[in-house]
Amino acid sequence: MSQIDLSLVDWSRAQFALTAIYHWFFVPLTLGLSFIVAFMHTIYYRTGNKEWESITRFWMKLFGINFAIGVATGIILEFEFGTNWSNYSWFVGDIFGAPLAIEGIMAFFLESTFIAVMFFGWNKVNKKFHMISSWLVAFGSNLSALWILVANAWMQNPVGMKFNPETARNEMQNFWDVLLSPTAVHKFLHTITSSYIVGAVFVIGVSAWYILKGRHIIFARKSILIASIFGLLSSVFVAATGDNSAYDVAQQQPMKLAAMEGLYKGDTNAGLVAIGILAPNKEIKDVENPFIFSIKIPSLLSILAERDVNAFVPGVNDLVYGNKDQGIVPISERMKKGKTSIEHLKKFNEHKKQGNTTEAERSLKIFEDNYKDFGYGYLNKPEDAVPNVPLTFYSFHIMVGLGFFFIVLFIIALYNVATDKLKNKKWLLKLLLWSIPLAYIASELGWIVAEVGRQPWTIQDILPVSISTSHLSTSSVIITFFMFATLFTILLIAEVKIMLSQIKSGPKEL
Amino acid sequence: MFENLSHLALQQYWWFIIAILGSALVFMMFVQGGQTLIKQIASDETERSMLINTIGKKWDLTFTTLVTFGGAFFASFPLFYSTSFGGAYWVWIIILFSFVIQAVSYEFRTKPENLLGQKTYDTFLFINGFLGTILIGAAVGTFFTGSEFSVDKMRITGGESTIISRWENVTRGLEAALNITNIALGLSVFFLARILALLYFMSTINDDNIFEKSRKHLLYNSIPFLGFFLLFVGLLLTSKGFAVNPETKVIFMEPFKYLHNFIQMPWVFILFLLGVIFVLTGIFMGFVKKSTQGIWYSGAGTILTVLSLFFVAGYNNTSFYPSVFDLQSSLTIENSSSSHYTLTVMSYVSLFVPFIIAYIVYAWKSLTSKKIDRNEIETSIDKY
C-alpha cells in the first residue's frame, strides 16, 4: 500500500474542524432565534401592538447580524468537501451530493429570498406577507438543517447504496432509505431542538441582563416568557431524541459508544457513567481500570444501547481484539478482509480490461463478499480504529449534564417570570445570563461527540479519513488553515462586539 | 417520468440545469459589479448608502445561486467537483475567501463597534466584486482551454498514490489567469457585471445625479466589455477544441470545434445571437434612450449568452472540463456524472425550480415596487 501523507490528512482535518466549529457558533442561534422571531412577529401581527413590533425588530436585528456570519462560514464548508476531500467527493458523491444540492435548491433560496422581505419589508409589503416571510425564513433555515444532517447521518450510517466496481464509487439505490434512516431522523430532531435551546437561552440571558440593569422590564419579561416555554418544550424533546440517537450509535457505531462511555471491557448489565474521571495513562491493551473515579447507574447502558437490562455492551477491547463469546470479530481479521476486497477490486478491473470475464466475475464476487470491511483494508493496525476516548467521553458527559441543567433552568425561569418574581432574584438573573455560553458549549460538544467519536471514518467502515483527502501539498493546507483561522477569528470578534453594542443600546421604543 | 429517460438524456438534462444556474449566477453578479462602482458613482455618503442598499437587498440571492451552483454540480457531475475544487485549489480558495468577506460586510458596515470600520467593509465589497467576477470568469474559461490534471479511479486500490484526481502542476489553478482566452472571459464577466449594475442602479434608484453618472459609466464600461468579449469569441471560434468520439469515447483535438458546435447546433447559435443583441439593446436603451428598463434586456441577454456558452462547452460530444496533461482524463458529461438513479432523483427535485423562480420574482417585485430615493435612505431605520 502506498505511503499516505499523515500531516496532510491531519491538517485537512484541522481545517475542516476549524470551519465546522466556527460555523456552528452561528447556526444554532439562527435555527432557534428564527422561530422565536416568527412567534413574536405573529403576536405583533395579531395584536398590532407597537410594543411587540419593537420586540420583534430587536431580536430580528440580532438574528440578522448572526445570520450573515453563519452564511459566510457556511460557504467554505460546502466547497471544502471538494477542495480538501476530493477522493471522498468522488467515492460517495453520488449519494452525498444530492442532499447538498437539494439544500441549496429547496432551502437556501427560501431563506435568502424571504430574509430580504423580513428585514426590509417593514411598511413596504403588506403586513400578512411580511409576517409569513418571517415564518418562511425559520422554515427555510430548519429545512436546510434537515438536508445537511441527512448527509451527515449517511456518513455515520451508510444505507441505501451499492458500490459500483466499474466507477469505483458508491451509488445510490434508494433515496428514501437515505432520507428516512433512523440515524438521519434522530440526528435531525436532536440537532434542531438542541439549537432551539441555544436560541431560547440566548433570548432569556439577554433579557435577564436588561432586568438586572433595570431597563426594558416589560420587553424583557415578554421575551423570557416566550423563550422559556419554547426552551422547555425543546429541552424535553432533546432528551428524548438524544436517547434515540444513542441507541442508533450503539447499533451502527459501537466503537463510538464505547468511547463515549470510556468502556474498555464490555459487560452485560452495563452501567452508565453518571460522573467519571478517566485515568490519564490508560492504554487500549492494558488491564488498568479506565477510571480514577466514577459513579455508575447500574444496567442503564445496557438499556440505552440494546433496550434490554441483560444485554451485552461491547467495550473498546472487545471491538479491537474480538470477543468470541459475543461473536465479535477482531479488527485484524476485518483488516484482512478489507485488503482482500481492495485487492480484488483492482483485479476485477484488470481482468476486465484483458477481457477475461471468468476471472473478472470471480474477483467481483470476492470483492463483494468482503466489501463490508472495505475501509479496514486501509488501516495500518487494529488500534487505528479507536477514536480519542477522553475527548469523546468528556464531551458526551458534559453535554448530557448541561442538557439536564437546561430543563431545570427553563422550569425555574418560566415559573419566576409567570409569577413575576424574577426582578428580585439577582442570583437567578445572573445565572440566566451566564447560561448563554453554556448553551453554546453544549451544542459544540454534541458535534465533537459525533465527529471525533466516529474517527477514523469519513464513511463508517467503508472509507477512512486518511484515504479521503485531495492531492495537495501540506503547506498549501497549512496556509489556508491559518488564513481561515485568522479571518474567522477577526469576524467572530467583530460579530460579538456588534452584538454587544446592539444589546447595550437596546430595543427602540416606537 | 424521468426514470424512463436514458442515462445520456439525464446527463444532458442536468447539463442544462447547470447551465441555467451558471447563467443566473452571471446575471446576479450585477451585485458584485455594483460593489466595484460605489466610489465612481456616489458623490456623498447618502448616495453611497443608496447604492449599497439597493444591491444589498440582492446579495444573499447571488450568494445562494453560487452555493446552489456548486451543490448542483456536486450532485450531478461529482467528478468535476472532486477534480476541479480539489485541484485548482488556490483559485477556488481565493474566490471563496472573497465571498466570505462579502457575506458579513453588508450587515456589519454601518453597525457601531464593528471592529474594522466602515471603510474596511466597503473595501471587502470591492475586493469581492473585483476578484469574484474575474476569477469565476477565468475558471469557466478553462472549460474551453483545459487544465493540467489526471484522473484514474483505480488509484483508490493503491499504488503510488491513492488519490483519484491529481492536479499536475504546482500553481494549483492560478495558471488559468495566464491564459489569454481565460483572461478575456474573466474581464468580460467583470465589465458585464458592472454594466448590469449600472442599469440596475438606473432602474431602482430615483435620483438624477446617480442616474446621469450611471449612464456615463455605462459607456466607459461597455467599450472594454465589447473589446474583451469580441476577443474571447474570436479566440473561441478559431481555437482547437476537445472533442469526444461518440462511439469509442476517446477524446481528441478537433480544429474549430467550438465553431463547429455552433454550426451543428444552430439553435444554440440563435440563442447566442439573441443574447448578444439583447445585451446591446439594454445598453442602448440605458445610454441613448435614458430608459430605466435596460436591466431587463441586458439581464435576459446575459442569461441567453451564458446558456449558449455552456451548451457549446458540454453538448455535441465535447469535453466540458478538458485536461491538457492527459487528454483521456478529460471530463465529459458522460464520464463525470452521477448514476442514472441519482440523476433521476435530482431531476424530480429540479421540478421545484420554476416554483422557486416564481416566489423569487414575487418577493423581488413586492420589495422593489417603490424606488429607493434620498429621502427614504435618510429616514429609514431598515438599511445596511
Side-chain angles (χ1 to χ4, degrees):
Chain A
M1 187 83 10
S2 57
Q3 280 298 307
I4 293 155
D5 183 353
L6 276 180
S7 62
L8 170 66
V9 177
D10 285 339
W11 279 104
S12 303
R13 220 183 217 145
Q15 180 168 311
F16 200 85
L18 172 91
T19 27
I21 287 171
Y22 267 99
H23 186 50
W24 202 253
F25 276 130
F26 314 109
V27 175
L29 189 61
T30 298
L31 296 178
L33 201 51
S34 63
F35 272 119
I36 295 178
V37 167
F39 292 140
M40 291 168 167
H41 201 162
T42 310
I43 298 177
Y44 165 61
Y45 170 73
R46 290 251 166 115
T47 60
N49 184 336
K50 280 278 170 196
E51 225 164 55
W52 278 105
E53 181 185 342
S54 126
I55 294 175
T56 309
R57 273 178 180 271
F58 175 74
W59 294 112
M60 201 184 271
K61 188 171 244 178
L62 298 190
F63 174 85
I65 297 162
N66 178 70
F67 181 81
I69 189 166
V71 170
T73 47
I75 191 173
I76 300 294
L77 267 185
E78 184 196 350
F79 285 94
E80 224 163 29
F81 293 115
T83 55
N84 292 78
W85 307 103
S86 157
N87 252 21
Y88 169 83
S89 296
W90 174 249
F91 195 75
V92 301
D94 196 58
I95 304 126
F96 191 83
L100 249 68
I102 300 174
E103 182 182 22
I105 293 170
M106 287 170 70
F108 287 156
F109 277 113
L110 199 63
E111 246 179 316
S112 58
T113 304
F114 289 99
I115 215 162
V117 181
M118 176 169 124
F119 287 131
F120 300 108
W122 296 101
N123 309 324
K124 268 199 176 154
V125 300
N126 91 49
K127 283 201 160 113
K128 188 168 188 182
F129 178 54
H130 191 209
M131 182 268 292
I132 291 172
S133 296
S134 290
W135 280 102
L136 289 174
V137 169
F139 183 64
S141 322
N142 283 268
L143 192 61
S144 85
L146 169 72
W147 293 107
I148 194 68
L149 291 167
V150 164
N152 181 279
W154 183 82
M155 299 163 88
Q156 321 263 353
N157 178 14
V159 289
M161 89 299 190
K162 189 169 187 303
F163 191 88
N164 180 341
E166 288 176 41
T167 52
R169 65 170 175 189
N170 290 283
E171 294 182 354
M172 204 191 313
Q173 298 277 304
N174 190 326
F175 176 71
W176 303 109
D177 283 356
V178 175
L179 176 60
L180 301 173
S181 95
T183 313
V185 173
H186 296 146
K187 183 176 272 286
F188 169 64
L189 294 175
H190 189 61
T191 310
I192 57 160
T193 44
S194 67
S195 300
Y196 300 162
I197 294 182
V198 175
V201 172
F202 179 84
V203 170
I204 292 173
V206 171
S207 306
W209 183 79
Y210 285 125
I211 301 180
L212 273 172
K213 295 281 159 192
R215 297 168 51 188
H216 313 293
I217 306 281
I218 299 171
F219 156 87
R221 276 195 53 197
K222 286 185 171 166
S223 296
I224 291 178
L225 184 68
I226 297 257
S228 57
I229 294 172
F230 185 57
L232 182 58
L233 293 173
S234 303
S235 61
V236 173
F237 205 74
V238 163
T241 53
D243 173 63
N244 285 328
S245 284
Y247 176 76
D248 296 334
V249 170
Q251 305 304 311
Q252 312 302 337
Q253 302 170 298
M255 186 69 87
K256 187 196 269 186
L257 185 75
M260 281 157 67
E261 277 298 298
L263 184 70
Y264 282 82
K265 195 174 164 302
D267 211 353
T268 50
N269 303 100
L272 187 77
V273 179
I275 300 174
I277 298 172
L278 292 168
N281 298 321
K282 170 77 185 162
E283 297 285 333
I284 296 173
K285 213 168 185 174
D286 65 26
V287 289
E288 304 294 314
N289 183 349
F291 290 96
I292 296 174
F293 162 82
S294 68
I295 299 173
K296 287 191 181 182
I297 307 166
S299 298
L300 194 58
L301 183 58
S302 287
I303 296 173
L304 188 88
E306 301 293 333
R307 307 290 191 236
D308 174 3
V309 188
N310 300 312
F312 177 82
V313 180
V316 172
N317 290 338
D318 305 282
L319 293 163
V320 174
Y321 304 111
N323 182 329
K324 265 200 185 141
D325 300 340
Q326 299 296 336
I328 299 169
V329 185
I331 286 184
S332 55
E333 212 143 289
R334 302 186 79 173
M335 284 170 62
K336 260 187 227 156
K337 287 186 174 180
K339 286 197 166 59
T340 309
S341 186
I342 296 168
E343 197 188 310
H344 281 274
L345 173 61
K346 190 177 194 168
K347 281 190 178 158
F348 164 76
N349 278 282
E350 284 167 1
H351 291 317
K352 229 189 138 211
K353 235 185 224 164
Q354 294 156 2
N356 189 341
T357 5
T358 357
E359 280 301 303
E361 291 281 321
R362 205 180 72 87
S363 283
L364 182 62
K365 175 100 183 30
I366 300 174
F367 159 75
E368 282 178 347
D369 289 345
N370 293 287
Y371 182 67
K372 191 165 67 71
D373 293 318
F374 188 85
Y376 287 91
Y378 292 107
L379 300 184
N380 290 321
K381 54 182 194 301
E383 289 78 6
D384 288 352
V386 184
N388 184 323
V389 175
L391 189 53
T392 314
F393 173 85
Y394 287 119
S395 301
F396 175 63
H397 284 83
I398 297 171
M399 173 191 77
V400 173
L402 287 171
F404 285 107
F405 164 76
F406 291 130
I407 298 182
V408 178
L409 190 78
F410 289 129
I411 293 174
I412 296 175
L414 183 56
Y415 171 77
N416 281 284
V417 76
T419 54
D420 200 11
K421 288 177 183 157
L422 212 48
K423 58 177 181 286
N424 304 321
K425 293 187 177 157
K426 282 220 156 148
W427 65 271
L428 178 58
L429 291 166
K430 280 185 184 162
L431 178 68
L432 292 173
L433 174 61
W434 289 106
S435 294
I436 296 177
L438 296 181
Y440 280 94
I441 290 170
S443 194
E444 293 277 2
L445 289 178
W447 276 111
I448 292 177
V449 175
E451 299 304 295
V452 173
R454 63 134 141 179
Q455 298 297 318
W457 306 112
T458 29
I459 305 295
Q460 184 71 33
D461 297 345
I462 292 174
L463 188 73
V465 178
S466 58
I467 304 296
S468 307
T469 54
S470 301
H471 172 235
L472 288 168
S473 69
T474 311
S475 56
S476 291
V477 184
I478 294 177
I479 294 170
T480 50
F481 174 88
F482 284 107
M483 267 169 65
F484 289 127
T486 312
L487 179 66
F488 289 161
T489 307
I490 291 171
L491 297 183
L492 175 68
I493 295 169
E495 195 245 8
V496 172
K497 285 189 68 165
I498 293 170
M499 280 270 199
L500 290 177
S501 100
Q502 293 292 328
I503 291 168
K504 269 184 204 151
S505 70
K508 304 260 176 313
E509 308 287 340
L510 292 166
Chain B
M1 71 196 198
F2 289 108
E3 47 273 54
N4 298 325
L5 293 177
S6 71
H7 201 180
L8 181 62
L10 287 170
Q11 287 157 339
Q12 288 170 336
Y13 176 67
W14 268 89
W15 188 250
F16 174 73
I17 300 280
I18 294 291
I20 297 238
L21 285 167
S23 55
L25 177 63
V26 177
F27 165 54
M28 287 302 299
M29 280 207 289
F30 72 78
V31 170
Q32 272 65 29
Q35 288 167 191
T36 65
L37 281 162
I38 308 293
K39 263 199 183 150
Q40 281 138 305
I41 304 293
S43 6
D44 62 19
E45 200 43 51
T46 308
E47 286 188 10
R48 173 182 283 264
S49 182
M50 286 158 79
L51 297 176
I52 290 203
N53 274 285
T54 188
I55 51 175
K57 283 174 194 162
K58 295 290 172 270
W59 80 264
D60 206 2
L61 205 51
T62 309
F63 198 92
T64 302
T65 311
L66 172 66
V67 170
T68 306
F69 180 69
F73 236 137
F74 192 4
S76 51
F77 300 100
L79 195 56
F80 167 77
Y81 191 87
S82 65
T83 303
S84 180
F85 289 99
Y89 190 71
W90 279 108
V91 170
W92 292 114
I93 288 284
I94 293 170
I95 291 173
L96 291 177
F97 209 80
S98 85
F99 276 89
V100 173
I101 57 178
Q102 182 213 22
V104 291
S105 292
Y106 285 102
E107 189 66 41
F108 287 8
R109 62 185 291 273
T110 56
K111 296 271 189 313
E113 300 283 328
N114 64 10
L115 188 69
L116 303 174
Q118 185 179 332
K119 252 200 174 141
T120 311
Y121 290 109
D122 288 354
T123 309
F124 282 174
L125 290 179
F126 179 84
I127 293 171
N128 169 249
F130 184 73
L131 288 180
T133 48
I134 294 181
L135 289 181
I136 287 180
V140 173
T142 64
F143 284 21
F144 304 103
T145 57
S147 310
E148 295 180 77
F149 62 84
S150 68
V151 176
D152 177 0
K153 290 162 190 167
M154 278 308 128
R155 280 195 198 124
I156 196 139
T157 59
E160 200 183 313
S161 156
T162 47
I163 299 172
I164 292 169
S165 296
R166 290 172 60 97
W167 202 258
E168 304 289 357
N169 67 35
V170 289
T171 44
R172 311 299 314 206
L174 292 178
E175 72 279 359
L178 296 176
N179 176 299
I180 180 124
T181 309
N182 299 343
I183 296 175
L185 185 57
L187 288 172
S188 303
V189 172
F190 173 68
F191 285 109
L192 179 61
R194 285 163 63 99
I195 290 169
L196 293 170
L198 293 163
L199 292 169
Y200 187 70
F201 291 153
M202 291 163 74
S203 149
T204 55
I205 300 174
N206 191 5
D207 185 279
D208 293 342
N209 193 17
I210 290 181
F211 191 90
E212 262 321 301
K213 268 195 171 172
S214 298
R215 206 170 74 82
K216 210 169 69 186
H217 278 88
L218 199 52
L219 183 66
Y220 302 160
N221 284 284
S222 297
I223 293 166
F225 165 70
L226 283 176
F228 286 115
F229 186 67
L230 287 175
L231 175 63
F232 168 74
V233 174
L235 288 167
L236 181 72
L237 296 183
T238 53
S239 75
K240 281 187 180 177
F242 300 81
V244 189
N245 181 320
E247 313 296 292
T248 60
K249 310 294 176 198
V250 170
I251 298 168
F252 63 98
M253 298 306 295
E254 181 184 320
F256 301 105
K257 171 66 180 160
Y258 302 108
L259 177 64
H260 291 166
N261 281 359
F262 273 124
I263 296 169
Q264 285 157 13
M265 300 185 288
W267 59 280
V268 175
F269 186 62
I270 293 169
L271 274 188
F272 177 79
L273 276 188
L274 277 179
V276 174
I277 291 168
F278 269 90
V279 170
L280 296 178
T281 309
I283 296 172
F284 177 81
M285 285 170 70
F287 184 70
V288 180
K289 299 268 175 190
K290 301 189 181 182
S291 158
T292 57
Q293 300 302 311
I295 179 70
W296 300 113
Y297 289 85
S298 290
T302 300
I303 290 178
L304 295 179
T305 311
V306 178
L307 272 180
S308 72
L309 290 176
F310 267 89
F311 294 159
V312 163
Y315 287 157
N316 198 34
N317 302 309
T318 313
S319 159
F320 75 87
Y321 199 63
S323 170
V324 290
F325 175 83
D326 168 28
L327 208 50
Q328 299 316 317
S329 288
S330 299
L331 308 188
T332 65
I333 59 171
E334 285 182 76
N335 70 15
S336 66
S337 89
S338 282
S339 64
H340 187 274
Y341 183 87
T342 297
L343 289 181
T344 305
V345 170
M346 292 308 300
S347 299
Y348 281 105
V349 173
S350 73
L351 296 178
F352 281 91
V353 171
F355 172 70
I356 291 163
I357 293 173
Y359 72 63
I360 291 174
V361 169
Y362 179 75
W364 185 318
K365 275 196 168 165
S366 66
L367 262 191
T368 40
S369 55
K370 192 174 155 288
K371 290 188 182 191
I372 284 190
D373 58 27
R374 196 165 261 278
N375 179 38
E376 181 193 332
I377 283 293
E378 279 164 355
T379 54
S380 170
I381 52 170
D382 304 309
K383 64 180 178 196
Y384 287 127

